[in-house]
Amino acid sequence: MTRLIVATVCLTAATLMADTKPLIIAHRGASDQAPENTLAAAELAWRQQADGIEGDFYLTADGHIVCIHDKTTQRTTGIDRRVDRSTLAELQALDAGAFKGPQYVGQRIPTLDQWLDTAPSEGLFILEVKSGPELIAPLKTRLAARPALRQRIRIISFNDAVIRESKRLLPDIPAWLLISYKQNKETGTWTPTLQQMLDKLKACGADGLDTHANPQVITPAFVAALRQAGYALHCWTINDPAAARQFAELGFDSITTNRPAEMRRALTK
Ligand code: G3P
Ligand code: CA
């Protein structure tokens, strides 16, 4: 009888694990439908039951942290301003929603606090630091004011100096290094190599890898090597159901997508 109960509990736990992994992270919010990195995209992602939302962050000229992907506002607002040379008031005077359709007119470039205010009772915030390591000290100040959210924050960056600074000032917050790959046209080989990547992760103190979902690089052997070295494994940007299933089978902890509802359906079938 006891054995039956234990077996049932284990089966239920295994089923739950299978259902919850990989986590579905909405890339710049639910950015396929709503304007990326706006509150509309964040709120839509939560409504679509994303496990977390990813957003991109820069420091403004007057020291605020704002959510926008590019160095300038041209692509998403139609007006060309350098984010790091503009004040928050100048940036928030721009319309960051109209480019996606008339229903989004009036969306603004959010501050980090406005972005975090979209939080439901659970769910992760994946903060991509697009500025350099100088963003981490002000980020520490902002997060200190929101202790209840702290365990739900993750920091990602392509810049290993950002990861290093993050682990120095915010050691309890998981930090994942972003990596993308280049192929040598003559030899066909991809860089960084697995070993170069492992060396870089170790040198900056990252807790995990957040990799471009390149199926030519990401093999079972690649995953095994990263796991053996103790790293969490995340990937971006997957919008195709078959690719989502492939990376789920490889054992990734999360997949980042512009289409959280569609990827959820693909993985629960
Ligand atoms: O989630 C990581 C991914 O967002 C990195 O690329 O250019 O979309 O910021 P990018
Ligand atoms: Ca990003």
Side-chain angles (χ1 to χ4, degrees):
M1 183 62 177
T2 314
R3 217 178 273 170
L4 183 66
I5 293 169
V6 170
T8 309
V9 169
C10 288
L11 191 65
T12 310
T15 311
L16 278 174
M17 288 290 285
D19 282 350
T20 53
K21 206 177 143 193
L23 299 177
I24 307 247
I25 308 299
H27 185 234
R28 312 181 195 175
S31 59
D32 189 52
Q33 284 175 264
E36 64 181 59
N37 289 324
T38 63
L39 299 184
E43 284 157 3
L44 181 60
W46 295 127
R47 284 201 300 281
Q48 293 186 352
Q49 313 291 313
D51 296 303
I53 61 174
E54 187 260 5
D56 304 291
F57 294 90
Y58 281 93
L59 264 185
T60 66
D62 51 347
H64 293 273
I65 301 176
V66 290
C67 188
I68 182 169
H69 180 272
D70 299 357
K71 271 196 176 91
T72 78
T73 58
Q74 177 68 53
R75 181 175 60 85
T76 50
T77 73
I79 292 172
D80 198 14
R81 300 261 186 280
R82 277 268 304 248
V83 176
D84 62 346
R85 292 186 189 161
S86 306
T87 63
L88 177 62
E90 286 166 342
L91 293 167
Q92 290 201 324
L94 305 175
D95 190 311
F99 80 100
K100 201 71 178 175
Q103 69 274 42
Y104 294 115
V105 167
Q107 286 292 315
R108 303 291 155 190
I109 296 168
T111 62
L112 171 68
D113 279 302
Q114 290 170 326
W115 185 257
L116 297 178
D117 283 342
T118 66
S121 57
E122 50 189 36
L124 298 175
F125 286 96
I126 318 297
L127 310 180
E128 182 178 346
V129 177
K130 290 287 194 193
S131 299
E134 69 280 3
L135 187 142
I136 300 297
L139 176 60
K140 180 176 177 172
T141 305
R142 297 312 321 141
L143 295 181
R146 319 185 66 126
L149 269 188
R150 199 173 180 93
Q151 288 194 334
R152 294 160 56 188
I153 303 289
R154 306 287 182 268
I155 293 171
I156 60 174
S157 183
F158 285 103
N159 183 342
D160 51 353
V162 167
I163 300 296
R164 205 172 293 116
E165 183 70 346
S166 180
K167 294 314 298 181
R168 190 175 77 82
L169 294 182
L170 299 165
D172 56 311
I173 296 186
W176 310 329
L177 185 66
L178 291 165
I179 298 270
S180 58
Y181 308 92
K182 280 201 183 117
Q183 189 175 31
N184 181 314
K185 285 199 180 105
E186 280 158 26
T187 63
T189 52
W190 293 91
T191 50
T193 63
L194 177 59
Q195 192 54 53
Q196 287 167 337
M197 203 166 19
L198 287 166
D199 292 346
K200 203 169 177 185
L201 287 165
K202 189 170 177 192
C204 68
D207 303 293
L209 170 70
D210 197 349
T211 175
H212 184 230
N214 180 336
Q216 296 188 63
V217 175
I218 317 296
T219 60
F222 173 103
V223 169
L226 269 293
R227 289 298 191 199
Q228 192 166 5
Y231 292 111
L233 267 180
H234 306 269
C235 63
W236 47 276
T237 303
I238 292 184
N239 296 317
D240 170 50
R245 283 191 284 270
Q246 182 187 346
F247 278 77
E249 275 163 28
L250 281 165
F252 271 71
D253 297 312
S254 79
I255 63 168
T256 299
T257 176
N258 300 343
R259 301 177 186 161
E262 195 183 331
M263 295 308 109
R264 171 80 66 213
R265 280 195 298 278
L267 294 180
T268 44
K269 262 181 197 159

